Amino acid sequence: MKCRKCDERAVIRIRAHNLALCREDFLDFVLDRVQKAIRTYRLLQKGERVLVALSGGKDSLAAFDILQRLGYQVEAFHIELGIDGFSEASLEKVKAFVRERGATLHLLRVEDELGMGVVEAARRLRRPPCSLCGMIKRYLMNRFAYERGFSAVVTGHNLDDEGATLLGNLLRWQTGYLSRQAPLLPSSHPRLIKKVKPLVLLSEREVLAYCLLRPISYLPDRCPYAKGATSIPQKEALNLLELHSPGTKLRFYQGFLQVRESIPQEEGELRECEVCGFLTVREKCQFCTLKERLNATEGRRR
Ligand code: Q46
Ligand code: ZN
């Protein structure tokens, strides 16, 4: 099999685009897809200070690498969650990646914020860790970016992640979530930093191939709490459809983005949290409420 762009041997076939590409042309293809997403959805401008949230997994490391190669001013950010074994391995991977690139790494520890890690907090409140973890990560990322003057927070969500989320929201007719699902969540207030997903036009397989071919050393293990995630069967369903009709995932997601504007926004009015000043729909934000509840459990233990 020959590369579609040159005469070299192709290393990957991409059925969704009816392409076979050699290593060099595939790496360029990935950069073009990210540039296309940035242009089409107006994600970033050159010269902006961009904070990339790194988990140590393939997607976030690829996002950082690609944006850096495209000439964006990126700095790395990592949150130590407090998940035994997994957090240590993630941090090690992130540190090695950043060191190799001579980039700046900002670190936050959930334990420094809450007095305990995510798993212990969840245990105290008898909740699944994931139900707290996502909110904690979003809050800390936004707060850090605001305090340090970044204008964008980047995450590594790819086409498979977004397609699975979209399918899940549709299956449950969660129109409120649908109206907020986008590659760009703009800043509507100085304390709300825009959130950007530059990998949305790349499939999981394409991101994986990019990491293997660059190469980028990433953490292959998933968080132990990701096992039962509802997104897994949804990803499998989309993969099956993709197998029968290449390009389905892209058509599904891009088609949604075209009609998304017509979905009524269901967001309650945002106001400043009475404790921390960051935005919330309640009097007190979820993060400050969580801290208060954990302090109460601490009190009961004394
Ligand atoms: S939310 Fe849940 Fe993830 Fe947090 S506890 Fe692990 S699986 S890391 S994306
Ligand atoms: Zn608050």
Side-chain angles (χ1 to χ4, degrees):
M1 194 171 55
K2 275 197 175 168
C3 171
R4 172 71 73 87
K5 304 263 163 109
C6 68
D7 266 351
E8 291 287 314
R9 187 178 62 86
V11 295
I12 184 165
R13 185 160 173 227
I14 313 168
R15 292 177 69 212
H17 298 275
N18 199 16
L19 276 176
L21 295 171
C22 68
R23 177 183 177 274
E24 291 306 314
D25 284 315
F26 174 70
L27 295 179
D28 285 350
F29 162 85
V30 168
L31 261 59
D32 286 348
R33 296 300 289 166
V34 171
Q35 243 166 344
K36 183 176 179 194
I38 292 174
R39 251 195 334 265
T40 310
Y41 308 120
R42 302 203 174 104
L43 304 183
L44 295 169
Q45 308 259 325
K46 286 272 164 74
E48 276 188 71
R49 280 190 73 217
V50 178
L51 191 64
V52 184
L54 299 185
S55 66
K58 64 181 185 334
D59 302 295
S60 57
L61 299 188
F64 187 98
D65 180 78
I66 295 164
L67 290 179
Q68 197 176 41
R69 289 180 70 203
L70 289 174
Y72 288 92
Q73 211 184 317
V74 282
E75 293 182 30
F77 176 70
H78 177 73
I79 304 176
E80 272 190 82
L81 297 170
I83 300 173
D84 250 3
F86 179 71
S87 287
E88 291 80 357
S90 303
L91 178 61
E92 221 170 277
K93 214 28 111 181
V94 167
K95 277 187 173 168
F97 174 86
V98 168
R99 205 180 311 124
E100 227 175 73
R101 282 158 181 78
T104 306
L105 172 63
H106 305 280
L107 275 177
L108 278 190
R109 295 175 74 223
V110 173
E111 196 174 342
D112 294 338
E113 299 288 333
L114 299 178
M116 67 198 83
V118 166
V119 176
E120 176 58 17
R123 193 190 64 75
R124 296 251 183 119
L125 300 178
R126 298 201 176 94
R127 286 178 54 178
C130 297
S131 72
L132 303 179
C133 184
M135 178 276 286
I136 293 171
K137 286 192 285 195
R138 280 192 301 277
Y139 179 88
L140 293 178
M141 254 170 2
N142 181 71
R143 193 188 71 189
F144 187 87
Y146 168 76
E147 287 171 349
R148 300 296 184 96
F150 288 91
S151 60
V153 171
V154 164
T155 56
H157 294 87
N158 61 42
L159 178 62
D160 291 45
D161 298 325
E162 293 300 289
T165 304
L166 174 58
L167 183 59
N169 288 339
L170 284 173
L171 290 172
R172 291 183 283 274
W173 287 115
Q174 286 170 312
T175 50
Y177 288 150
L178 281 175
S179 67
R180 290 196 296 275
Q181 194 189 342
L184 168 70
L185 293 177
S187 165
S188 53
H189 184 281
R191 281 175 173 260
L192 192 62
I193 306 303
K194 75 172 168 180
K195 310 291 175 316
V196 172
K197 300 172 184 171
L199 303 191
V200 290
L201 298 183
L202 287 168
S203 70
E204 190 146 345
R205 175 175 171 263
E206 288 155 6
V207 177
L208 174 63
Y210 181 82
C211 288
L212 296 175
L213 291 169
R214 262 287 277 154
I216 292 172
S217 170
Y218 62 91
L219 186 69
D221 319 337
R222 269 208 304 243
C223 168
Y225 298 99
K227 272 190 207 114
T230 50
S231 61
I232 296 173
Q234 284 152 12
K235 280 187 179 178
E236 283 169 2
L238 287 173
N239 279 337
L240 190 66
L241 295 169
E242 182 77 22
L243 193 68
H244 288 281
S245 176
T248 297
K249 283 181 209 171
L250 261 179
R251 286 191 294 274
F252 180 51
Y253 183 62
Q254 287 182 303
F256 159 69
L257 292 180
Q258 277 167 11
V259 299
R260 185 185 156 264
E261 297 302 319
S262 56
I263 301 171
Q265 296 278 327
E266 280 184 23
E267 199 145 47
E269 205 179 313
L270 291 172
R271 52 168 121 170
E272 291 179 8
C273 166
E274 61 183 24
V275 182
C276 69
F278 285 90
L279 296 193
T280 174
V281 287
R282 306 185 184 94
E283 279 171 15
K284 210 176 281 173
C285 77
Q286 286 178 296
F287 188 79
C288 291
T289 308
L290 172 68
K291 270 173 103 166
E292 214 174 73
R293 291 204 182 128
L294 289 172
N295 285 340
T297 64
E298 197 61 36
R300 279 204 297 273
R301 282 154 65 96
R302 270 189 222 119

